[in-house]
């Protein structure tokens, strides 16, 4: 029986908070089933990330470097299972942890990056259709998307949305690539009427109807209220699909390109390319000018994520013992 689970992930400047957000969703589900959950990692670069664990009563234990020392920590904490969700772990970390007798769930985005696990989770759209290099159990596709309580308890309002579109622009809790000001400028360059809330960990001056705010726990509510969300194709996109909110996407890291291509290629989200430019500005102008186009994107995405993914993942993890 699995009664204690450790979640090995990091967050902060240069890493973003996407790994933490999806792991928090799984931790909420496990805690609801009576499982003790501890986070193992480094969140020193993000006060917002640390606050997420503190608000939920989830303990944070600094994770040592190297597979061997992590395995020792797993033994010291008497963990029955470990969730690995980090691109920074040395290959073989999963194999070393499994040698302690703990089960391993590895959350991946395509490439398992040399990690051995009892079960793999790839929540990206269309992941179930892509080849996987290992003969192992895999939970693949948005059927397994991990959503937080704060998102699952929301629904996007129906009915008329107003004459001036409300835009939400954000790039994770840390904006590790520093792209937020440039995309805010791209919005202004459209010349179209709009009101925008831009979330940025670093304040900056913005022209026009743009309000810049720091990272906030109200992000799910802001998403549900928006007529259009401008963001990267990271973990948050599954929350937007659940809410049925129209999205205009870019990407800031290579692993996000998988989701970007699947969503834009499938006509589920509008594609802006990798950086602001004339083509991106033109697409944003079209979206701001045409509520029917925006809502069509929202309609196509709505229903792809049913909000029960974390339950399916928890079933698989707890079924390992």
């Amino acid at each position: 029986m699995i009664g204690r689970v450790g979640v090995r992930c990091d967050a902060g400047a240069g890493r973003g908070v996407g790994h933490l957000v999806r792991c928090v969703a799984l931790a909420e589900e496990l805690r609801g089933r009576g499982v003790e959950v501890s986070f193992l990692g480094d969140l020193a670069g993000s006060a917002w990330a640390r606050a997420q664990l503190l608000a939920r009563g989830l303990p944070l234990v600094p994770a040592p470097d190297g597979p061997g020392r992590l395995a020792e920590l797993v033994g010291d904490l008497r963990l029955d299972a470990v969730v690995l969700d980090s691109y920074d772990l040395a290959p073989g970390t999963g194999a070393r942890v499994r040698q302690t007798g703990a089960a391993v769930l590895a959350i991946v985005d395509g490439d398992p990056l040399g990690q051995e696990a009892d079960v793999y989770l790839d929540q990206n759209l269309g992941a179930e259709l892509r080849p996987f290099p290992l003969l192992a159990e895999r939970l693949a596709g948005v059927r397994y998307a991990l959503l937080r309580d704060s998102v699952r308890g929301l629904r996007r309002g129906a009915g008329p949305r107003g004459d001036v579109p409300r835009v939400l622009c954000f790039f994770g809790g840390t904006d590790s690539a520093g792209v937020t000001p440039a995309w805010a400028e791209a919005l202004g360059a459209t010349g179209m009427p709009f009101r925008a809330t831009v979330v940025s960990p670093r304040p900056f001056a913005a022209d026009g109807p743009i309000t810049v705010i720091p990272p906030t726990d109200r992000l799910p509510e802001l998403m549900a209220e928006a007529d259009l969300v401008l963001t990267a194709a990271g973990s948050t996109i599954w929350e937007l699909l659940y809410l049925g909110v129209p999205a205009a996407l870019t990407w800031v890291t290579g692993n996000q390109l998988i989701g970007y291509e699947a969503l834009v290629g499938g006509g589920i989200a509008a594609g802006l390319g990798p950086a602001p430019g004339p083509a991106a500005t033109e697409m944003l102008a079209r979206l701001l000018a045409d509520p029917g186009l925006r809502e069509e994107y929202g309609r196509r995405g709505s229903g792809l994520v049913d909000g029960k993914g974390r339950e399916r993942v928890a079933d698989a993890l707890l079924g390992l013992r």
Side-chain angles (χ1 to χ4, degrees):
M1 178 179 177
I2 292 179
R4 291 188 180 91
V5 174
V7 179
R8 176 67 184 91
C9 74
D10 303 307
R15 294 186 175 115
V17 298
H19 298 280
L20 177 81
V21 167
R22 62 191 184 185
C23 285
V24 162
L26 180 57
E28 289 174 339
E29 181 67 27
L30 293 171
R31 284 274 296 269
R33 301 188 187 200
V35 178
E36 295 180 23
V37 181
S38 299
F39 275 69
L40 320 174
D42 176 15
L43 308 184
S46 175
W48 182 87
R50 295 194 302 275
Q52 302 312 298
L53 301 189
L54 182 63
R56 293 167 174 83
L58 293 165
L60 174 64
V61 179
D65 293 330
R69 295 183 63 195
L70 178 61
E72 292 177 5
L73 179 61
V74 169
D76 292 343
L77 297 177
R78 295 184 298 163
L79 299 177
D80 303 305
V82 176
V83 177
L84 300 178
D85 189 4
S86 173
Y87 300 143
D88 298 331
L89 297 178
T93 298
R96 186 65 185 85
V97 169
R98 292 183 77 210
Q99 290 175 5
T100 69
V104 173
L105 165 67
I107 303 180
V108 303
D109 295 293
D111 189 343
L113 300 176
Q115 298 305 340
E116 180 181 309
D118 295 278
V119 62
Y120 296 86
L121 165 63
D122 185 341
Q123 63 177 3
N124 287 290
L125 181 68
E128 68 276 16
L129 305 176
R130 290 187 284 270
F132 192 64
L134 303 174
L135 296 176
E137 182 180 1
R138 182 173 63 137
L139 312 176
V142 294
R143 171 177 166 79
Y144 299 99
L146 303 172
L147 301 185
R148 297 169 288 166
D149 287 339
S150 57
V151 175
R152 298 209 310 170
L154 289 175
R155 284 293 185 273
R156 187 169 181 244
R161 306 291 299 178
D163 295 332
V164 178
R166 295 167 292 181
V167 181
L168 175 65
C169 175
F170 66 92
F171 291 89
T174 64
D175 184 19
S176 57
V179 299
T180 304
W183 281 109
E185 184 177 349
L187 275 171
T190 64
M192 302 300 298
F194 66 88
R195 296 195 307 273
T197 298
V198 176
V199 182
S200 175
R202 293 171 290 278
F204 64 92
D207 296 328
I210 295 175
T211 302
V212 180
I213 65 172
T216 172
D217 289 339
R218 290 196 63 248
L219 189 61
E221 290 92 338
L222 293 175
M223 288 191 292
E225 295 168 358
D227 298 299
L228 178 69
V229 171
L230 195 172
T231 189
S235 298
T236 305
I237 190 62
W238 316 126
E239 300 179 345
L240 294 173
L241 292 181
Y242 174 74
L243 295 170
V245 179
L249 300 181
T250 180
W251 74 89
V252 295
T253 62
N255 63 287
Q256 293 176 347
L257 189 56
I258 296 174
Y260 178 90
E261 291 178 338
L263 291 160
V264 174
I268 298 166
L272 302 176
T281 299
E282 180 181 353
M283 173 57 76
L284 287 171
R286 288 179 57 203
L287 291 166
L288 292 173
D290 189 343
L293 177 62
R294 293 195 303 268
E295 291 306 306
E296 178 63 17
Y297 278 118
R299 184 194 63 77
R300 291 173 186 168
S302 181
L304 287 177
V305 177
D306 65 5
K308 299 180 181 179
R310 72 187 212 179
E311 298 168 26
R312 300 181 182 107
V313 175
D315 286 343
L317 176 59
L318 299 181
L320 293 174
R321 286 283 185 86

